[in-house]
Amino acid sequence: TMPDSTIPEQATSVESKEKLKTRQKQILFKIRLIIWIIVDYFIDFVNRNSRDYREVSNKLAEMKVEDKVFQKQRMRMETSSNLTSVISINDMIDGSGGGGGGQQSRNISLRKVSQSIPLSEHSRLYRLFDSLFYLTMSRSELLCYSAMIIDHLTSGALLSIPLPLSIFLWATLSPRPTRNFWITILTYTEAMIVVEYIFQFRFYPWNADIADVRPLAAVNIIGIDRKQSATSFADLFLLLSLFLHRSILKQLGLWKSERTTPI
């Protein structure tokens, strides 16, 4: 027969395990709550910094939709004026015919753009990536500067020295660098990558045996030695960053501005 004293001990052990599990759940819930608060604060902070670009992007989207609808309405009026020479274009605009339908379709298209799903209704993960995306788009020049510095740090050659020097001696001297700066950097980066890739073949004497190449050799100082994977990725990342920045400027209508206008 089992003694009666073992029954209370088993009951107390079960209660202690349940209390431990409850305490662990409370600690995990508090940790998750703290993480959510930090993520929400970070999303709000990033959205505040990229608010200008977000508003400009939304306004440009509305203007593009409005322009497309206007072009369709204009083509419809021109077709109607060719078919019916009695009715003038002004009567068509003021009447309830094609002009009214065009105005109605224009209002519907603009309503669809303005009535998009609010950002607060999405998940935290979606809002986090969305905020990071707009932050990258609004600060794409900083991405290009970082890529230029990383490229020089990975290569450390004469070919990449003009990249960081152009940042501190040209780009940072004005609030925003001009279009000529980005064209110069983009052209130089493309030429640098082409030159480096031309000298990657193994039939060159200095690429026959990489272990025998001295650190202070001319090919290492110039930067035409056989590159490692990290250096190649840094060059491609810099080139893609420059193309991304150029596409953003084109989207905002700043790439085709005058040469004296900062962009």
Side-chain angles (χ1 to χ4, degrees), residues 107-143:
N107 294 332
I108 293 174
S109 301
L110 293 177
R111 195 180 301 114
K112 289 181 179 179
V113 175
S114 59
Q115 292 179 353
S116 57
I117 300 176
L119 191 63
S120 58
E121 296 182 1
H122 292 281
S123 61
R124 283 185 175 86
L125 184 62
Y126 178 86
R127 290 187 286 118
L128 178 62
F129 283 107
D130 182 78
S131 61
L132 292 176
F133 171 77
Y134 279 102
L135 179 64
T136 305
M137 296 296 104
S138 61
R139 299 292 186 269
S140 57
E141 67 276 3
L142 299 180
L143 179 65

Side-chain angles (χ1 to χ4, degrees), residues 145 148-149 160-178 181 184-185:
Y145 297 158
M148 292 163 67
I149 295 175
S160 60
I161 281 182
L163 295 176
L165 290 180
S166 63
I167 297 175
F168 300 108
L169 300 180
W170 189 355
T172 56
L173 297 180
S174 60
R176 283 185 179 271
T178 59
F181 171 78
T184 304
I185 294 299

Side-chain angles (χ1 to χ4, degrees), residues 205-207 209-223 225-226:
W206 54 84
N207 290 335
D209 191 0
I210 303 178
D212 294 339
V213 179
R214 294 173 299 174
L216 297 179
V219 292
N220 289 331
I221 296 176
I222 297 174
D225 56 326
R226 189 170 180 81

Side-chain angles (χ1 to χ4, degrees), residues 6 20 46 50-51 62 65 68 74 85 88 94 107 125-126 128 194 200 202 225 231 237 245 248-249:
T6 59
L20 182 61
V46 173
S50 61
R51 182 181 302 170
E62 294 179 2
V65 173
K68 289 181 180 179
R74 184 178 179 182
S85 59
S88 63
D94 297 332
N107 294 332
L125 184 62
Y126 178 86
L128 178 62
V194 170
Q200 296 300 305
R202 292 186 179 275
D225 56 326
T231 307
F237 177 69
H245 182 66
I248 293 172
L249 294 180

